[in-house]
Amino acid sequence: MELNVQIYSFIVSFLFGCCFYYMLDLFNKLTIKFKLVLKIIVSFLFIMLMSLLYFLILLYVNNGVVHIYFLLSILVGYIFVYKIGIPLFTLFRKKL
């Protein structure tokens, strides 16, 4: 795999991790009042949809090649939003 394709894949994976945080947060807010069995079924469908979306994006970016460091990049994007993005957003929001 060429270097520029790997860099694009890293960036896409990082951004997907950031978007995944927001989508999961929205999903949890929408399904808070569901019963347990329904929540398990809907959660399973949500995770399947998100993984399918990620693999379709990778199929477009690098012909569907998945490496462990792309998955770690998703995790880094998720943690980045959780630890840095949300507190930074609330800090700016309080100043306004």
Side-chain angles (χ1 to χ4, degrees):
M1 186 182 315
E2 296 178 15
L3 182 62
N4 61 350
V5 174
Q6 285 186 357
I7 292 172
Y8 291 146
S9 300
F10 271 124
I11 293 170
V12 165
S13 296
F14 179 80
L15 293 175
F16 186 82
C18 294
C19 292
F20 183 70
Y21 176 82
Y22 290 116
M23 292 228 217
L24 190 62
D25 188 44
L26 178 66
F27 175 78
N28 285 333
K29 288 178 183 177
L30 291 175
T31 61
I32 193 110
K33 296 190 179 195
F34 285 8
K35 300 212 185 270
L36 181 63
V37 175
L38 183 61
K39 192 168 186 175
I40 290 172
I41 293 169
V42 173
S43 296
F44 178 75
L45 292 175
F46 174 75
I47 295 299
M48 294 302 288
L49 179 68
M50 293 303 292
S51 59
L52 177 67
L53 179 66
Y54 178 67
F55 289 124
L56 288 175
I57 291 171
L58 276 186
L59 187 64
Y60 178 74
V61 172
N62 66 2
N63 293 327
V65 178
V66 179
H67 293 286
I68 188 72
Y69 44 86
F70 295 155
L71 300 176
L72 290 175
S73 181
I74 292 173
L75 183 64
V76 168
Y78 184 90
I79 292 172
F80 176 78
V81 172
Y82 181 71
K83 292 289 186 180
I84 297 170
I86 297 298
L88 194 63
F89 178 73
T90 56
L91 178 69
F92 285 131
R93 192 172 180 190
K94 286 180 183 177
K95 287 185 179 182
L96 294 176

